[in-house]
């Protein structure tokens, strides 16, 4: 945590106007309403050094003025201050007005009440506030946790932000994989809407092909940064020496071929969002530099001495177990905690099979429109077979299978089972069919039977494709017609 530097002549406490700037890394902005000068300054001091931006109001009436149009994340109210300033009949009204004013802009503002005695008055619970004893509030960690709980409660209760026009239609939603009716994906929708309006760092995990980048784009397009393009980079697809230059850029003369300055992806994303894909494969030597960027929100170009300040929202994704990499010494633990602030896990397609039919019909329509083909349909038995598949490659594998089927269907209006490539039994399988046989010390591999099985399946699919025309099937298989007939007779024996 970096704190603002003070001149030697300045007090560590804020001036009497009640405002104090903790620097650019404040977790949340807080309005602290408390009359007692000594306790107010003490609590503010503690909260600032817990990472909060604190505005101190020495009365409820001043607090009411400051909440009007002010973007606070939370309001902390000393109940004794409220009791002294307002008699009982008007106390509840003043309290509820303070709560209403703080939330008037639609922001999910958390409210905390500091209580001298227990139990909490009923109006505290009615406002959805968190109550904490004054004595416990003297512990900085306890008060910070109460504030964060209050904010999280309001974020859960608040209605989702309005969907921008560009996400309003079903096709755009599908393009970002915010699509489906199954319970697992609905939970992802809720998480996306919950975090999109914040600048919180997000970690998206899930198997290959589940749509991590598209979910990152949905978060960006639902955020206040959507007017600028999101910048993406694959941390595992570039050698370490080149990746540093890609991320941070360089100044002129930084190395032999640096004939002119070049900005990196972080600078390109300034004011927008950067998506760090395959973060688990980030080279170990670059991890401290990324950690510094996340902590300080600034970069140094390669060969440069001046820092470049950043205003960037970071979203990272991985298909590996990051914590296991931490345990193996391949990923820094402090970096893990910096990126794993808000975690979204994408379920594999096999855990949301209710959505397979939706994706089948969407991809079929999309491919026909893309290729200028008349609309096609899928035979119900073929669709039922697709629903049963394990889809180890997830949505990406399903889309590829649909594209192959559309190509094989040629001029037919209906897709049938032989149009689709056989299901892959494992991610590492080589070839479409048959799946590789497991090799064990006692394995009894019948090569002849496997080859016969493949030959029978290929001939069957070819005849179905040619609608029983043996001449066409023989041409496609590069066989003589008589040889094909002989094989068919042998299969029937």
């Amino acid at each position: 945590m970096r704190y603002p530097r003070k001149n030697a002549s300045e007090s560590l406490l804020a001036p009497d106007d009640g405002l104090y700037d903790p620097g650019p890394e404040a977790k949340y902005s807080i309005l602290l309403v408390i009359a007692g000068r000594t306790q107010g300054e003490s609590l503010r001091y503690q909260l600032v050094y817990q990472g909060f931006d604190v505005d101190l109001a020495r009365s409820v009436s001043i607090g009411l003025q400051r909440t009007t149009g002010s973007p606070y994340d939370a309001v902390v109210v000393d109940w004794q201050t409220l009791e002294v300033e307002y008699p009982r009949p008007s106390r509840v009204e003043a309290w509820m007005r303070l709560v209403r004013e703080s939330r008037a802009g639609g922001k999910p503002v958390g409210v905390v009440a500091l209580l001298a005695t227990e139990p909490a008055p009923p109006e505290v619970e009615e406002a959805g506030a968190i109550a904490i004893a004054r004595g416990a509030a003297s512990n900085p960690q306890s008060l910070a946790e109460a504030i964060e709980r209050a904010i999280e409660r309001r974020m859960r209760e608040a209605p989702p932000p309005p969907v921008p026009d560009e996400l309003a239609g079903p096709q755009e939603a599908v393009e970002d994989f915010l699509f489906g009716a199954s319970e697992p994906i609905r939970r992802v929708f809720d998480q996306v809407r919950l975090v999109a309006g914040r600048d919180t760092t997000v970690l998206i995990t899930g198997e290959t092909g589940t749509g991590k980048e598209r979910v990152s784009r949905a978060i960006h397009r639902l955020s206040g940064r959507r007017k600028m393009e999101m910048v993406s980079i694959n941390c595992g697809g570039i050698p370490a020496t080149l990746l540093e230059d890609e991320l941070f850029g360089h100044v002129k003369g930084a190395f032999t071929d640096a004939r002119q300055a070049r900005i990196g992806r972080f600078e390109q994303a300034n004011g927008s969002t950067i998506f760090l894909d395959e973060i688990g494969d980030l080279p170990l030597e670059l991890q401290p530099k990324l950690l510094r960027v996340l902590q300080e929100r600034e970069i140094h170009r390669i060969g440069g001495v001046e820092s470049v300040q950043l205003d960037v929202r970071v979203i990272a994704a991985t298909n590996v177990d990051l914590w296991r990499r931490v345990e193996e010494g391949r990923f820094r633990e402090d970096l893990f905690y910096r990126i794993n602030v808000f975690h979204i896990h994408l379920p594999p397609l096999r855990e949301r099979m209710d959505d397979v039919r939706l994706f089948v019909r969407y991809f079929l329509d999309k491919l026909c429109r893309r290729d200028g083909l008349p609309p096609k349909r899928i035979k119900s038995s073929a669709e039922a077979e697709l629903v049963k598949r394990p889809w180890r490659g997830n949505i990406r594998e399903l889309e590829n299978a649909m594209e192959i089927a559309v190509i094989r269907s040629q001029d037919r209006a209906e897709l049938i089972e032989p149009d689709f490539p056989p299901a892959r039994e494992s991610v590492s399988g080589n070839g479409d069919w048959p799946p590789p046989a497991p090799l064990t010390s006692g394995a009894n591999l019948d090569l002849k039977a496997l080859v016969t099985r493949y030959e029978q399946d290929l001939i069957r699919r070819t005849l179905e494709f040619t609608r029983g025309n043996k001449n066409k099937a023989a041409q496609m298989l590069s066989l003589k017609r008589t040889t094909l007939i002989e094989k068919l007779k042998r299969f029937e024996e």
Side-chain angles (χ1 to χ4, degrees):
M1 181 63 68
R2 187 183 65 175
Y3 303 107
R5 287 191 290 262
K6 291 282 185 178
N7 296 329
S9 59
E10 289 185 297
S11 167
L12 285 175
L13 298 179
D16 289 339
D17 62 5
L19 298 173
Y20 185 82
D21 179 12
E25 291 192 35
K27 296 177 183 176
Y28 298 111
S29 59
I30 308 297
L31 175 64
L32 176 60
V33 181
I34 186 169
R37 180 181 179 86
T38 301
Q39 187 178 23
E41 296 288 8
S42 176
L43 288 175
R44 177 174 53 181
Y45 178 84
Q46 292 168 4
L47 287 173
V48 165
Y49 284 89
Q50 284 288 317
F52 295 98
D53 180 356
V54 184
D55 184 351
L56 179 59
R58 302 196 188 281
S59 69
V60 176
S61 57
I62 294 176
L64 282 167
Q65 295 172 13
R66 290 190 177 166
T67 54
T68 305
S70 296
Y72 294 110
D73 296 297
V75 177
V76 180
V77 182
D78 175 49
W79 202 258
Q80 190 172 1
T81 299
L82 184 68
E83 290 177 331
V84 171
E85 192 170 346
Y86 291 90
R88 177 61 188 167
S90 57
R91 184 181 308 149
V92 176
E93 181 183 346
W95 160 256
M96 296 307 293
R97 183 184 166 202
L98 182 62
V99 173
R100 284 196 307 271
E101 290 291 340
S102 65
R103 296 170 178 170
K107 192 173 182 179
V109 177
V111 179
V112 177
L114 301 180
L115 303 176
T117 59
E118 294 181 339
E123 52 265 31
V124 172
E125 184 60 33
E126 289 174 13
I130 297 290
I132 182 174
R134 258 185 154 197
S138 62
N139 181 328
Q141 188 64 33
S142 297
L143 181 55
E145 289 175 356
I147 292 171
E148 291 178 349
R149 285 202 313 274
I151 294 171
E152 289 170 3
R153 173 184 287 188
R154 283 300 298 166
M155 288 178 71
R156 289 194 300 270
E157 295 172 351
V163 180
D165 292 340
E166 64 267 27
L167 281 182
Q171 290 180 349
E172 289 81 2
V174 174
E175 287 294 330
D176 286 282
F177 282 97
L178 294 185
F179 179 69
S182 63
E183 183 59 30
I185 201 64
R186 302 306 302 180
R187 289 195 292 269
V188 172
F189 296 170
D190 292 341
Q191 288 181 293
V192 168
R193 292 184 181 278
L194 183 65
V195 78
R198 297 277 176 172
D199 276 342
T200 304
T201 300
V202 178
L203 175 64
I204 305 172
T205 60
E207 296 177 5
T208 298
T210 49
K212 295 183 289 295
E213 180 170 3
R214 297 200 175 188
V215 169
S216 74
R217 292 192 180 280
I219 293 172
H220 174 69
R221 289 169 65 184
L222 284 167
S223 75
R225 298 174 179 266
R226 61 181 174 270
K227 292 183 179 179
M228 296 181 65
E229 288 292 321
M230 185 178 82
V231 176
S232 302
I233 185 168
N234 188 320
C235 298
I238 305 173
T241 51
L242 300 179
L243 182 58
E244 182 178 4
D245 189 29
E246 280 293 319
L247 288 171
F248 309 124
H250 62 259
V251 299
K252 183 178 180 180
F255 44 84
T256 304
D257 294 328
R259 296 184 177 88
Q260 59 184 14
R262 176 180 181 274
I263 67 171
R265 300 294 180 90
F266 269 100
E267 281 189 80
Q268 291 174 22
N270 214 353
S272 184
T273 303
I274 188 168
F275 176 62
L276 305 175
D277 199 8
E278 295 189 29
I279 190 69
D281 295 328
L282 183 70
L284 200 57
E285 59 266 35
L286 289 185
Q287 292 179 23
K289 297 183 179 182
L290 177 59
L291 177 65
R292 185 175 184 277
V293 172
L294 296 176
Q295 288 175 331
E296 306 294 337
R297 297 292 168 177
E298 65 181 26
I299 62 165
H300 287 86
R301 296 178 186 170
I302 297 175
V305 293
E306 295 183 358
S307 62
V308 179
Q309 297 296 315
L310 296 176
D311 173 24
V312 177
R313 203 266 181 84
V314 177
I315 302 177
T318 182
N319 61 1
V320 301
D321 185 339
L322 268 191
W323 184 248
R324 178 173 293 179
R325 298 231 164 161
V326 170
E327 294 177 327
E328 294 170 349
R330 299 166 62 189
F331 201 84
R332 292 177 62 109
E333 184 173 359
D334 46 5
L335 180 57
F336 171 83
Y337 288 117
R338 277 287 175 179
I339 64 172
N340 189 28
V341 179
F342 191 94
H343 179 206
I344 297 177
H345 179 71
L346 298 187
L349 189 55
R350 61 184 173 274
E351 293 180 8
R352 46 181 295 208
M353 298 304 284
D354 292 346
D355 295 333
V356 171
R357 283 187 169 88
L358 300 176
F359 276 112
V360 165
R361 291 165 191 176
Y362 165 71
F363 287 133
L364 183 55
D365 178 65
K366 173 186 174 182
L367 291 164
C368 289
R369 285 188 290 106
R370 185 196 71 181
D371 295 340
L373 301 173
K376 291 178 179 284
R377 60 184 180 274
I378 180 170
K379 191 174 181 180
S380 58
S381 58
E383 187 177 57
E385 193 274 331
L386 294 179
V387 172
K388 298 175 184 176
R389 294 191 178 189
W391 298 116
R392 303 296 182 189
N394 295 292
I395 299 168
R396 189 175 300 151
E397 181 187 357
L398 174 56
E399 182 175 12
N400 291 343
M402 292 301 301
E403 183 160 10
I404 291 171
V406 169
I407 293 171
R408 287 177 174 175
S409 68
Q410 297 189 12
D411 295 333
R412 279 186 284 111
E414 185 176 63
L415 273 58
I416 58 177
E417 289 95 320
D419 293 329
F420 293 90
R424 294 183 183 272
E425 296 297 325
S426 68
V427 177
S428 59
N430 297 316
D432 284 338
W433 185 261
L439 293 178
T440 62
S441 58
N444 183 17
L445 301 178
D446 189 339
L447 179 62
K448 185 177 180 180
L450 287 172
V451 171
T452 301
R453 182 182 172 193
Y454 176 81
E455 187 178 50
Q456 286 178 326
D457 179 76
L458 182 60
I459 290 175
R460 177 187 62 81
R461 284 164 46 199
T462 305
L463 283 170
E464 287 180 350
F465 178 78
T466 62
R467 300 181 182 181
N469 188 317
K470 295 184 179 63
N471 285 331
K472 287 186 178 179
Q475 290 174 2
M476 292 179 67
L477 294 168
S478 299
L479 295 174
K480 293 181 179 179
R481 184 177 185 277
T482 54
T483 303
L484 175 60
I485 293 174
E486 287 174 1
K487 288 182 178 291
L488 290 172
K489 290 178 179 178
R490 191 163 58 246
F491 294 158
E492 293 173 356
E493 292 177 355

